[in-house]
Amino acid sequence: MTRTLRGRVAIAGIGESIYYRRGESPDPEFVLACRAIRAACDDAGIDVTDVDGFASYSNDRNEPSRLAAALGLRELRFSNMQWGSGGGGVSAAVGNAAAAIAAGLAECVVVFRALAQGQFGRFGQARKTARVSGEAALTVPYGLISPAQTFAMRTMRVLEAHGVPPSTLRAVALASYHHAQNNPRAIMHGRPLSADEYDASRWIVEPYRLYDCCQENDGAAAMVLVAAERARDLAPAPVYVLAVAQGGGYRAGAPLHNDPDYSGAGFATVAPRLWRQAGIGPADVDVAQVYEDFTGGVVMALIEHGFCAFDDAGEVLAFENLIAPHGGLPLNTSGGNLAECYMHGLGLQLEAVRQLRGSSCNQVPGARVALAASGPMVPVTSTCVYGTQETLA
């Protein structure tokens, strides 16, 4: 028997809270999580008490037992957390939920993420401390402190060693901001970004300028997953999980920047497994949602997923080719982490579902296959591909 998730589980509902700038949410994180979950259940046409499982990532603080009590669940059958690597766990959480349903461990699983940075502190800021130990003792005293500094080094390696032009980073940022202008949910809606404004923006850490870096936000997002047979009886058009892959390459978690594939995004071994499981390839993808804490990781992820090579990245990853509706590779069509909201990448999964339902603010005509790749440049990445009913024929 072939072991696969292809077509066995579907996304039945998606939901989110209002998105806020960091520190501006009037509600605590737990309330935001509950609102997003309820919204996703409403979207699916499912009573929230039918939920019997939760999956999340990056040590989300909102424990399933507490959510189950607050939402009135009749029974909690599945409670799952993806270990480590921050946003690298987004697609993995979807895969874990789908696997639980396919294996009969649960019937209706919610994947969620909530952040209230005003309540718990800035998510992307270096922590202040009087002393450091371990790996930090060999980086912090020399100025290697923040996430931007850490990931900038890997991106610079790609630009210098492989000749990928910096224009690719600018194209990713401009595409995200372009799409946000049509998305009223986006924090950067009404704040367009021009190429001149990008070029004039301040350096954060070379090669990243201000607009290469994601936002810091408050909010929550959620997805409801059920078995494919059940999804067909629900109101929204089901969006099927075609494949999910997660993992890391040889010594990907080696400390102190000793990963042997230092110019990689972490998908070199993961993406081929995704395509094999899905039975499709990059040429079949109509729209891509790629986690962008920083633009460099998007460029590297698209290369490792096979959409282009180092040599032609500058041509393929050009602004005109990355925008909906007519670009060859529409990218981050909600505005993504850069311009919609940094909901730790789960918003990108919701946008993949919207595209295949035909309800995106930047709809790609006839979209049938959507990629959602999570957390480039971390030790454990994950990636997911979704499809419409037509893709299962």
Side-chain angles (χ1 to χ4, degrees):
M1 182 179 71
T2 301
R3 293 182 295 172
T4 178
L5 288 174
R6 179 181 170 83
R8 298 179 64 189
V9 177
I11 311 301
I14 56 175
E16 58 207 337
S17 70
I18 295 173
Y19 292 146
Y20 303 93
R21 295 181 184 277
R22 173 186 58 83
E24 293 185 359
S25 171
D27 298 306
E29 187 177 86
F30 184 76
V31 171
L32 296 172
C34 290
R35 285 181 177 164
I37 292 167
R38 283 189 174 277
C41 290
D42 289 346
D43 180 60
I46 289 175
D47 192 298
V48 70
T49 61
D50 289 342
V51 172
D52 60 1
F54 293 102
S56 192
Y57 55 97
S58 193
N59 300 319
D60 189 283
R61 285 174 286 261
N62 303 285
E63 294 186 5
S65 58
R66 186 182 177 203
L67 288 168
L71 296 169
L73 271 59
R74 288 185 288 269
E75 181 182 16
L76 181 62
R77 297 175 57 189
F78 183 72
S79 176
N80 173 264
M81 175 63 68
Q82 175 71 12
W83 268 354
S85 292
V90 186
S91 295
V94 175
N96 294 341
I101 293 169
L105 301 179
E107 298 296 329
C108 180
V109 181
V110 169
V111 177
F112 74 96
R113 186 72 172 101
L115 285 174
Q117 299 191 54
Q119 182 181 5
F120 292 106
R122 295 181 64 178
F123 197 70
Q125 187 179 46
R127 297 289 185 263
K128 295 179 181 179
T129 180
R131 61 181 63 187
V132 292
S133 60
E135 183 177 350
L138 299 173
T139 57
V140 172
Y142 306 99
L144 185 56
I145 304 172
S146 72
Q149 292 166 334
T150 298
F151 294 125
M153 294 179 64
R154 298 179 73 110
T155 301
M156 188 63 81
R157 174 70 64 85
V158 174
L159 301 185
E160 293 188 347
H162 297 288
V164 174
S167 62
T168 56
L169 278 63
R170 179 173 63 179
V172 170
L174 292 178
S176 290
Y177 274 79
H178 172 83
H179 290 135
Q181 304 318 303
N182 293 326
N183 179 3
R185 300 182 310 275
I187 296 293
M188 294 300 174
H189 179 68
R191 298 184 60 184
L193 176 67
S194 69
D196 288 342
E197 288 172 319
Y198 173 93
D199 290 339
S201 65
R202 69 181 186 273
W203 290 110
I204 301 302
V205 53
E206 196 175 357
Y208 295 149
R209 295 183 179 274
L210 175 65
Y211 296 109
D212 291 305
C213 305
C214 67
Q215 303 178 72
E216 294 177 292
N217 300 112
D218 297 346
M223 308 170 72
V224 176
L225 281 70
V226 298
E229 312 84 69
R230 184 178 181 184
R232 296 186 191 109
D233 296 329
L234 300 175
V239 171
Y240 297 93
V241 177
L242 299 184
V244 183
Q246 61 167 293
Y250 174 69
R251 287 181 57 81
L256 294 172
H257 295 257
N258 281 311
D259 176 358
D261 187 17
Y262 197 66
S263 60
F267 295 104
T269 61
V270 177
R273 286 193 280 115
L274 178 81
W275 300 131
R276 285 197 301 270
Q277 292 172 29
I280 59 175
D284 298 302
V285 172
D286 299 301
V287 60
Q289 316 295 335
V290 181
Y291 185 101
E292 75 295 38
D293 46 1
F294 307 100
T295 54
V298 180
V299 173
M300 296 155 71
L302 290 170
I303 291 171
E304 290 186 350
H305 276 84
F307 292 100
C308 59
F310 293 123
D311 292 345
D312 65 348
E315 178 182 349
V316 175
L317 305 183
F319 171 71
E320 294 76 11
N321 200 43
L322 300 181
I323 58 173
H326 302 304
L329 182 59
L331 175 72
N332 295 354
T333 49
S334 66
N337 291 338
L338 294 181
E340 182 189 39
C341 174
Y342 181 76
M343 201 33 54
H344 216 174
L346 191 54
L348 292 162
Q349 306 280 332
L350 272 61
E351 176 63 10
V353 173
R354 289 190 186 97
Q355 282 287 349
L356 300 190
R357 286 181 172 182
S359 61
S360 171
C361 296
N362 294 284
Q363 186 61 45
V364 175
R368 303 197 313 165
V369 177
L371 173 78
S374 308
M377 300 188 290
V378 293
V380 176
T381 63
S382 61
T383 182
C384 180
V385 64
Y386 300 102
T388 61
Q389 178 69 46
E390 291 78 9
T391 63
L392 302 180

